[in-house]
Structure formats: structure tokens, C-alpha cells
Amino acid sequence: METDNKKGHFIESIIIKDIENNKNKGKVLTRFPPEPNGYLHIGHAKSICLNFNMANKFNGKCNLRFDDSNPAKEKQVYIDSIKSTVNWLGFEFGTPLFASDYFEKLHDFAVELIKKGKAYVCSLSADDIRKYRGTLKEPGKDSPYRKRSVEENLDLFTRMKNGEFDEGEHILRAKIDMKSPNINLRDPIIYRVKKASHPRTHDKWCIYPMYDFAHCLSDSLEGITHSLCSLEFEDHRPLYDWTLDEIKTPCHPQQIEFARMNINYTVLSKRKLQRLVEENLVQGWDDPRLPTLEGMKRRGYTPESIRNFCNTIGVSKKESRIDMTLLENCLRDDLNEKAPRVMAVLRPLKVTIENYPADRTEELTAKNHPQKEDMGTRNITFSKEIYVEMDDFMEDPPKKFFRLGPGREVRLRYAYLVTCTKVIKDSAGIIKELICTYDPDSRGGNAPDGRKVKGTIHWVNANDCIDAKVRLYDRLFKDENPEQGKQDFIENLNPDSLTELESCKLEKGLINAVPGNVYQFERLGYFCLDSKEDRKNNSVFNRAVSLRDTWAKRLKK
């Protein structure tokens, strides 16, 4: 196969060299091996994209294999979600595979190690195992059960398999080197008793392989050529290789590690995400503030934006923190090209146009995208009463405020030029309504006498707009590195990460909005219909991301 000589990341370079040397007969087979004990997050997306992209680029294949060797934490709902999410990201994986597909073979491999004198049944308690293991500075010491005979180990392991022992009473350990400077090689556990029903095998097994044992052997059984995993598994690679060297397996995959993803203002630890959910600090695993892919999808992130983000940050061996702004900009770039434009008023202020006929409603033509003619147009209506944004009016505006103010003229998007003539307030002095006049000869927003009007604002027709609730999302944490320091990361939660606006006014066409379709609310940001809320009373829209902050750019200058 011909390969592109264009320089890529270090893993791509390794694969190119392997192909040139005809290693693995020039084949490339990768895998994405999630444990189905939770929902995927943006960190998993990096691994998904890397594994599938490497396979696709070199005409290979990527397996989706579930590491389902811990039945106490695994659920079918997670399996279904993971399959759906990988497809949603744009990758095809054929028939999903499972570590549980290999339980019989993994058991036989363990027996093979016992017969070779390379594994033994240990009866130490969990506390004693930790004490015997030693530290990073001190070697471990042999278990008193390390010298059990092959026959005794086979008997005990069979009885473990038959369910004769309680959890923790016996474990099977590899016999390697208790004095190894690599703690992972100090007689690691490879099988334990676990009396829990498995999502697929149910109650057939009561012993289950540990990840380090099941993972490398599953890779080998599938013929994986390049086992790509995050950097925390680098210290586990000697165990990966030792297991495959000791057991007769079809092939010996190459494990290659890369730096995992760390993003500012969020956490990617599954344990910490679970705590947020279980303590009701967020509204479930698909809360749009979470970095879970279910939450990001609900918020309005697109598969293309996530794939582009993963490609942009690249692959390296060095850990680093990525600015959340980069992820948001990838979404903005994608949505700017494809999101249809509509008008919505989030904080409505009523405007009555006193010289517009009370019995008149006219249709205006609006572009669905200002730069893309192929996206067509839509009809919007205009009448005597409209809503504008509260922020688009100031009673005493500064010099460079080009929106509405007493005596000021602005352009209504697609409609007319209007001038504010009166401000109506309630008894507390709160502005409740504006009275304006319009120039009937300025339809489309252009003055017939050529006068220049700098300000253009959006609006909706008060007579046919729809009511909606809108949720504005901000960073989940106040600190860019919420896990740093001695304090609990929970203390860094941003109390303003969610703002809910009631009685927002939306262009009437959004009554037909469907979940998953993202719209640009002109001048406000990108929004999508919430996929979980009931629409009987009113619609709920989530802000996926704001528009680029041009004001912030001015401040930097």
C-alpha cells in the first residue's frame, strides 16, 4: 500500500515505518476498548478519533471492543450509549466485540500460566497484599503462598471458578518479580472472585480477569497490530509484554502510549463526573455542562466540531492543558457554516410603532444564511407591536452605543428604520415599553434619502412569536484547573454555570424545530432545542456556544 509521506504525529510515523518494513504483513488493526461503566466524554473522543482515523488512513480496521470484565459496575445502558455515541461521531465499527467473548480462552490462558509455574493462588487479605507489595522506594516481599505447588494452584483456581470461595478469599496472581522497580510487575492480580451478574454472561462466571490480563490477550486474539492507549498505561506496558510473551497467542501487538486530554474549566475523571451526578450537582450524565459526549450532543455540539477539535490538538507524548476556548471555536467554525439564522429575543422589551397601521401584518423575506444563497430564504412577519432585546436600549446611551435610545434611529433587521419617541415606565421606574415611529419608505432597512444609520438590531413580531425557555451555559468550574490544590474540586463549581431565561420570544418558524438541529439566534449565539424536555407548554432551547466575543478582542488591544 502506498502511504502519504507528509509528516504526521509520532504514532502515524510509527505505523508508516511498520508498513514500509512489512511488519504485520502491512496490515493495520486498531481498537477502541471502553469499559461500559459510564458514559463517554470528550477525552474518549480523542482516543476514538485516533484509533479510527489511523485504521481508516491506512486501509485498516478499528474494532469497538467493550472491556466488560467487571460486572459490578457495567450496565447495558452504557453499552448502548457507547455504540450510539461512536456512530454519532461518524465512525463505523461493524459487529461490536466484548472481552466477555473470550472468557473461556482467558480462563484457559490463566491455567496455562499456572501449569508453567508463572501464576499462583494467593490467600493474603487485600491489606496484606498492599503491605507485601512495597513502595516506589522499597521492594516488595514474596507472599507466603507463592510457593504453592502447581497441583494445589490448579485445584484452588478450579474451586474459585466453581464458586466455592467468597470474594477476596483467594485471588490468582502472576508470578513475576516482587523486587521489580516497576510495581506493576510485583506479582499482579490477574483473576479475582466477583459474585455479580454480568450484563452478557449473567451468572455463568464468578471469577473475572483483571484489566491488565484481559486487555493484552483480547488484543492478541483479535490480531490488533497497534494498541493505542493513554500515557498512564506506559508503566503497564512491561506487564502487557510479559503476559503475551509467556502465553502462546496468535500475535504480539505493539502498545503505544499518547498523552490524554486535559481541558481547562472541567474534569474528565469518570469518578469525579460520577460524583457530580450522584450528588445532584448537575442534572444527570447528559447535563449540557458536562464534558460527556451525551451532554455535549444535547447542548448542540456537532460530531464535525469534536472531530476537528481532536485533529487540531494533535497527538503527543507530553501532557498539557487545553484551553476550553479552542473547543468552543471549533464548534463556532462548524456552526457558522451550517447553522440557519433566525431571530429570537431572550430578554424582551415591548415596542409599539405608533404610526404603523394597527390592522396590518406584512411578510418580509429573510435570508437563512447571509453568505450561502443555497440555504434559501424564509418569510417573517412584521406588525405594530414587536419585541426587541432589553440590552438594545439605553435611556442615556454613551457615544459609541449604536442601538436604541430616546430620539435615536436604528435599523430593524430585514424591516424598517425606527426612531424611539417615548419611554414608558412602571411605578418603580422600570422600563416596560418603548414607543417608536417608523419610516414607511425604508422597507428592507435602507433610508430613501441616503441617510446613514449605524445600528441594526434584531426583533420578533409580538403577534405571532412563540414563547420559550432558554438555558445559557457557562463554564462548569470557576478555576481553570479545578483539581489543583488541596481543596475539594467541588468547591470550584461555578454557581453561575446555568442561567435559565423564562418568557423568551422566538421567531414563529422555530415551532417546527427538532432536537439536534442548531440555529444561530442572530447576534446572540448558537442554540438547539433540548432533546429531553416536553414541548406541551413551551419549548426549551440550550445555548451551544456564544458568538465570538468581539468586545473582548477590543479590550486585549
Side-chain angles (χ1 to χ4, degrees):
M1 179 190 121
E2 293 185 2
T3 56
D4 189 353
N5 289 324
K6 183 179 178 182
K7 187 177 180 181
H9 51 71
F10 77 98
I11 293 178
E12 187 173 333
S13 298
I14 291 172
I15 295 175
I16 290 174
K17 187 174 181 179
D18 288 345
I19 292 173
E20 290 173 347
N21 294 332
N22 201 35
K23 185 178 180 181
N24 305 307
K25 299 181 179 180
K27 295 180 180 179
V28 175
L29 180 57
T30 62
R31 82 290 169 270
F32 173 61
E35 182 180 359
N37 64 350
Y39 295 94
L40 300 181
H41 55 62
I42 184 66
H44 293 111
K46 179 178 180 178
S47 179
I48 294 169
C49 290
L50 174 60
N51 278 284
F52 278 92
N53 285 342
M54 288 299 93
N56 292 337
K57 181 163 187 174
F58 298 104
N59 296 326
K61 181 183 176 184
C62 179
N63 292 344
L64 173 63
R65 181 181 72 237
F66 291 94
D67 171 35
D68 57 341
S69 57
N70 186 1
K73 295 184 177 181
E74 294 153 5
K75 298 179 181 178
Q76 185 64 42
V77 65
Y78 299 140
I79 294 173
D80 294 340
S81 173
I82 290 169
K83 290 192 292 186
S84 174
T85 299
V86 173
N87 276 148
W88 174 74
L89 274 176
F91 299 107
E92 297 180 2
F93 48 79
T95 302
L97 303 175
F98 296 82
S100 55
D101 293 337
Y102 315 124
F103 278 175
E104 289 284 355
K105 291 181 179 178
L106 295 176
H107 167 268
D108 293 345
F109 288 145
V111 170
E112 181 181 334
L113 283 181
I114 295 173
K115 289 180 178 179
K116 289 180 64 175
K118 295 293 186 177
Y120 64 98
V121 174
C122 183
S123 306
L124 287 175
S125 67
D127 288 339
D128 284 339
I129 288 174
R130 280 190 289 270
K131 292 175 183 177
Y132 275 63
R133 183 174 288 130
T135 66
L136 292 173
K137 296 181 179 180
E138 298 178 353
K141 59 181 181 179
D142 289 353
S143 163
Y145 304 101
R146 201 173 194 264
K147 294 183 179 179
R148 276 176 167 156
S149 67
V150 169
E151 291 73 22
E152 186 179 3
N153 285 319
L154 288 172
D155 175 66
L156 286 170
F157 190 57
T158 299
R159 292 168 66 189
M160 286 171 62
K161 177 177 179 288
N162 293 339
E164 295 183 28
F165 302 119
D166 293 331
E167 293 186 14
E169 196 172 348
H170 299 291
I171 55 172
L172 183 68
R173 300 176 69 175
K175 187 185 290 187
I176 308 180
D177 182 5
M178 289 301 296
K179 293 180 175 58
S180 172
N182 186 334
I183 288 182
N184 294 295
L185 295 180
R186 295 180 187 175
D187 291 8
I189 303 169
I190 58 176
Y191 258 94
R192 80 286 204 201
V193 175
K194 206 79 171 175
K195 295 187 175 180
S197 183
H198 189 279
R200 299 183 73 241
T201 60
H202 308 293
D203 299 319
K204 180 179 179 180
W205 294 89
C206 61
I207 55 169
Y208 292 92
M210 299 296 288
Y211 174 83
D212 279 333
F213 187 72
H215 180 72
C216 60
L217 291 168
S218 298
D219 280 353
S220 181
L221 290 169
E222 293 174 12
I224 299 301
T225 58
H226 301 85
S227 182
L228 312 180
C229 58
S230 50
L231 206 55
E232 66 261 35
F233 291 99
E234 186 173 31
D235 289 342
H236 295 246
R237 193 194 327 144
L239 176 56
Y240 184 102
D241 292 333
W242 179 91
T243 304
L244 295 179
D245 287 341
E246 292 293 340
I247 296 175
K248 296 177 182 178
T249 56
C251 70
H252 190 132
Q254 179 182 3
Q255 178 175 304
I256 308 171
E257 305 86 15
F258 59 90
R260 64 181 178 181
M261 183 185 295
N262 297 294
I263 305 180
N264 288 344
Y265 299 102
T266 192
V267 294
L268 294 179
S269 160
K270 193 179 291 186
R271 176 177 56 82
K272 291 179 178 178
L273 292 173
Q274 186 169 5
R275 183 178 168 193
L276 291 172
V277 173
E278 291 180 348
E279 294 184 15
N280 295 316
L281 298 170
V282 293
Q283 299 167 359
W285 284 99
D286 61 352
D287 188 305
R289 291 169 292 181
L290 288 180
T292 59
L293 294 175
E294 292 277 8
M296 295 176 71
K297 178 181 179 182
R298 183 180 170 194
R299 181 163 174 169
Y301 272 81
T302 62
E304 294 84 358
S305 66
I306 294 173
R307 295 199 305 267
N308 185 42
F309 171 68
C310 292
N311 291 335
T312 300
I313 63 174
V315 179
S316 72
K317 278 271 191 181
K318 186 178 179 180
E319 296 277 5
S320 62
R321 295 195 69 82
I322 300 161
D323 195 330
M324 177 69 78
T325 302
L326 178 58
L327 175 60
E328 294 169 341
N329 282 341
C330 286
L331 180 59
R332 290 187 182 102
D333 290 344
D334 187 47
L335 293 178
N336 181 55
E337 292 295 314
K338 65 176 61 169
R341 276 50 169 172
V342 295
M343 292 194 288
V345 175
L346 304 189
R347 297 173 175 88
L349 174 61
K350 188 177 180 182
V351 174
T352 298
I353 304 172
E354 59 181 344
N355 63 329
Y356 193 90
D359 59 350
R360 181 181 174 189
T361 296
E362 61 180 306
E363 284 196 345
L364 305 172
T365 300
K367 291 183 178 181
N368 290 329
H369 196 292
Q371 286 86 39
K372 295 183 178 293
E373 298 294 332
D374 59 329
M375 291 184 67
T377 61
R378 68 191 187 281
N379 291 329
I380 56 175
T381 62
F382 185 82
S383 64
K384 187 179 183 69
E385 294 180 343
I386 62 173
Y387 289 109
V388 299
E389 287 288 346
M390 190 78 71
D391 291 344
D392 280 339
F393 175 82
M394 291 185 70
E395 199 166 10
D396 185 20
K399 184 176 181 181
K400 291 189 177 182
F401 183 81
F402 299 120
R403 287 168 271 178
L404 268 176
R408 289 198 171 202
E409 186 176 41
V410 299
R411 177 183 295 103
L412 296 178
R413 180 83 158 140
Y414 300 116
Y416 295 94
L417 301 178
V418 297
T419 302
C420 179
T421 58
K422 185 179 180 181
V423 179
I424 299 176
K425 303 179 180 180
D426 62 15
S427 58
I430 305 298
I431 298 172
K432 305 301 290 184
E433 185 179 352
L434 302 180
I435 305 298
C436 292
T437 59
Y438 88 115
D439 181 347
D441 296 325
S442 64
R443 180 175 165 130
N446 295 315
D449 58 3
R451 66 184 184 275
K452 294 183 178 180
V453 177
K454 289 187 176 181
T456 299
I457 64 174
H458 64 278
W459 54 276
V460 295
N461 185 355
N463 293 330
D464 66 6
C465 61
I466 63 172
D467 290 327
K469 177 191 288 187
V470 171
R471 293 177 178 144
L472 306 179
Y473 296 102
D474 202 347
R475 309 288 166 81
L476 184 57
F477 292 92
K478 296 177 292 184
D479 194 291
E480 66 176 19
N481 187 358
E483 299 169 282
Q484 193 175 31
K486 295 182 180 180
Q487 67 181 16
D488 188 346
F489 79 102
I490 294 294
E491 296 177 28
N492 276 320
L493 279 170
N494 177 12
D496 301 317
S497 62
L498 170 61
T499 301
E500 292 189 319
L501 302 178
E502 305 281 352
S503 302
C504 301
K505 308 296 181 180
L506 277 54
E507 190 178 302
K508 69 175 183 178
L510 286 171
I511 193 69
N512 298 316
V514 295
N517 290 354
V518 184
Y519 302 84
Q520 185 192 105
F521 289 4
E522 294 202 33
R523 301 175 65 229
L524 299 173
Y526 296 96
F527 296 76
C528 70
L529 182 70
D530 192 281
S531 59
K532 290 184 69 174
E533 296 290 343
D534 190 345
R535 300 186 71 178
K536 289 181 180 178
N537 296 323
N538 63 356
S539 299
V540 178
F541 281 80
N542 298 323
R543 184 173 68 185
V545 67
S546 62
L547 298 178
R548 279 190 170 87
D549 191 345
T550 54
W551 183 253
K553 290 181 180 179
R554 290 185 195 175
L555 292 178
K556 289 181 181 179
K557 293 180 181 179

